[in-house]
Amino acid sequence: MKNDFEFFNPTQVFFGRSAMENLSSVLSLYGDRVLLAYGSGSIRSNGVYDQVMNTLQACGKTVTEFSGILPNPTYEKVLEGGRLARASQADLILAVGGGSVIDCAKGVAIAAVEEGDIWTKYWQNKQPLDCAPLPIGAVLTMVGTGSEMDGDAVITHEATKRKTSCWDYSLYPQFAILNPEFTYSVPEYQMVSGIFDTLSHIMEIYFSPEDEDNISDDFAEALMRSIIRNTPVAIANPRDYVARSNLMWASSLALSGILAPSKKEDWEVHQIQHQIAAYYPSAHGMGLAAISPAYYRLVCPYGLPRFRRFATQVWGIDPTGKRDLEVAHAGIDALAAFIRESHMVTSLRDLGIPEQAPLQTIADTCNLRRGGYYTLTRDDVLQVLQNSL
């Protein structure tokens, strides 16, 4: 572990079939007024809404509902939730749903206590929070983003076509209820989208210095192998508890901070997808799947030893008689095959993005990170986009 690091994760996790039984006890730690945040209503059809509401009512909570949170939550929706939280004098925001709901709830937690242009301050300029956001709890119904165990709030500003994150320790959920059975009803498209989002989170950290022997990379490889092993099982039988529980916990661990010590982290694939989604709202994980092979083929020569290790340790590629670059490319080919065989999107066109899309504008507005093996230029981003069509 070459680099010094700080590790802290304050989220209390209740995992398994009985996880919801703990909601009453954790609710007793907060005030009487709860803002219940959720999406388009799927939690009503799968029974999760009733379980949560029955618990809230049994605990004597006054509930204000904040619904209609869509994928790629917007700044306007954050401000709407902030106004509702202030008007109801909410003591706790309980987010029930997937990452979009939880991310939006984190934005609302800020908007509830600080008015004005919080976008420019915290999302655009990345200033440290100088307020105390409302506490957040989460009941997870879709896996992938890892938002239930991290401090990121990814929001889209529709007016300026920017999608980016605000991060702070105070935005970590105080508690998270994780019952894999709550994910059974998620359609396959959303399920595999979330699976690739998880895999991408791990790869963003894994494909970065430092490359010396360290536990972080060992953890990352074990999680990637588990995802690869459990994905076809979950596709064949969405109610396979072992597969769904492994995929759920892998998603939470991927962004919990446990993989990050001694790593610089890349995150350029996410930056590119964020700008794609700012212009063409789409499933986050599918966008990542569409561009990842092209991105990794571009940066592979700059981190060749790591890509070779990815091929041999994660995909089981036999390196005998092969040059390092050939082995590395075989690993990326295996990733592309996994995307295809898992019914994920394999191109931006399959994502609904037309050939005449403003790719140059998307490239020109993309954040360029410096944590990976190679810092992209605007022309490089454009090349990735073109090669992903």
Side-chain angles (χ1 to χ4, degrees):
M1 308 296 289
K2 180 178 178 180
N3 296 327
D4 296 351
F5 63 88
E6 174 187 352
F7 175 77
F8 175 68
N9 192 304
T11 304
Q12 183 177 18
V13 175
F14 301 97
F15 191 100
R17 293 185 174 95
S18 63
M20 272 292 290
E21 296 174 9
N22 298 280
L23 184 57
S24 296
S25 61
V26 293
L27 286 174
S28 67
L29 303 175
Y30 304 93
D32 294 332
R33 295 175 294 275
V34 175
L35 183 72
L36 179 63
Y38 58 96
S40 57
S42 62
I43 63 169
R44 291 180 180 271
S45 60
N46 63 18
V48 176
Y49 174 87
D50 289 338
Q51 290 188 53
V52 172
M53 282 298 293
N54 289 340
T55 301
L56 289 168
Q57 291 168 358
C59 292
K61 303 297 184 181
T62 300
V63 180
T64 300
E65 297 190 36
F66 173 51
S67 62
I69 301 171
L70 299 176
N72 300 302
T74 66
Y75 181 52
E76 285 301 316
K77 194 66 176 177
V78 165
L79 296 180
E80 176 190 335
R83 292 190 293 269
L84 192 58
R86 287 195 300 274
S88 64
Q89 298 181 307
D91 301 301
L92 171 73
I93 302 174
L94 183 60
V96 183
S100 294
V101 172
I102 301 172
D103 278 13
C104 187
K106 293 174 182 178
V108 171
I110 300 172
V113 299
E114 182 174 340
E115 299 184 68
D117 186 10
I118 59 173
W119 172 267
T120 299
K121 189 175 182 180
Y122 297 129
W123 277 267
Q124 180 175 305
N125 295 338
K126 309 294 183 183
Q127 294 182 27
L129 289 190
D130 56 10
C131 62
L134 289 181
I136 305 158
V139 178
L140 192 65
T141 63
M142 178 178 169
V143 306
T145 69
S147 191
E148 67 277 4
M149 278 185 73
D150 78 8
D152 258 327
V154 179
I155 303 297
T156 298
H157 194 290
E158 290 186 302
T160 59
K161 298 293 186 183
R162 297 303 299 269
K163 179 179 177 181
T164 187
S165 65
C166 165
W167 181 92
D168 194 85
Y169 276 126
S170 64
L171 295 177
Y172 278 71
Q174 301 294 302
F175 62 88
I177 306 294
L178 275 60
N179 182 346
E181 294 176 327
F182 288 176
T183 69
Y184 285 174
S185 61
V186 174
E188 182 186 278
Y189 187 89
Q190 280 77 27
M191 179 186 75
V192 298
S193 175
I195 288 171
F196 195 83
D197 193 12
T198 300
L199 186 60
S200 182
H201 291 157
I202 300 169
M203 291 190 296
E204 296 275 31
I205 301 170
Y206 180 75
F207 288 121
S208 73
E210 303 292 339
D211 288 342
E212 287 79 4
D213 180 39
N214 64 76
I215 292 174
S216 297
D217 290 332
D218 293 335
F219 281 169
E221 290 167 357
L223 285 179
M224 287 189 281
R225 288 193 298 267
S226 177
I227 291 167
I228 293 163
R229 183 173 64 249
N230 283 287
T231 295
V233 178
I235 292 173
N237 179 13
R239 301 179 70 86
D240 187 296
Y241 185 84
V242 172
R244 299 306 288 267
S245 62
N246 281 326
L247 291 168
M248 175 176 264
W249 189 229
S251 173
S252 298
L253 288 178
L255 280 187
S256 67
I258 198 66
L259 304 183
S262 201
K263 303 293 291 183
K264 291 185 178 179
E265 308 183 39
D266 187 359
W267 296 108
E268 192 58 51
V269 175
H270 273 67
Q271 301 308 311
I272 298 172
Q273 192 284 327
H274 284 172
Q275 276 313 100
I276 293 171
Y279 283 81
Y280 298 95
S282 51
H284 177 55
M286 291 303 199
L288 296 170
I291 62 176
S292 287
Y295 174 78
Y296 287 126
R297 289 187 181 106
L298 177 67
V299 303
C300 173
Y302 303 95
L304 186 55
R306 173 45 47 93
F307 281 92
R308 185 187 187 281
R309 175 171 166 172
F310 176 67
T312 60
Q313 299 301 311
V314 176
W315 297 103
I317 303 296
D318 183 358
T320 304
K322 300 183 181 74
R323 293 177 292 108
D324 286 351
L325 186 60
E326 185 180 358
V327 176
H329 281 172
I332 299 172
D333 290 343
L335 174 65
F338 172 79
I339 292 170
R340 182 176 61 255
E341 293 163 4
S342 301
H343 312 158
M344 298 169 185
V345 166
T346 59
S347 71
L348 292 177
R349 199 167 301 176
D350 290 343
L351 202 61
I353 296 174
E355 187 175 357
Q356 65 272 21
L359 300 184
Q360 185 68 65
T361 301
I362 293 172
D364 289 343
T365 55
C366 181
N367 290 329
L368 301 179
R369 301 266 306 185
R370 297 181 180 276
Y373 295 115
Y374 171 70
T375 300
L376 268 61
T377 65
R378 301 292 181 194
D379 288 342
D380 291 328
V381 176
L382 180 60
Q383 181 182 337
V384 170
L385 293 171
Q386 291 172 335
N387 290 345
S388 301
L389 276 175

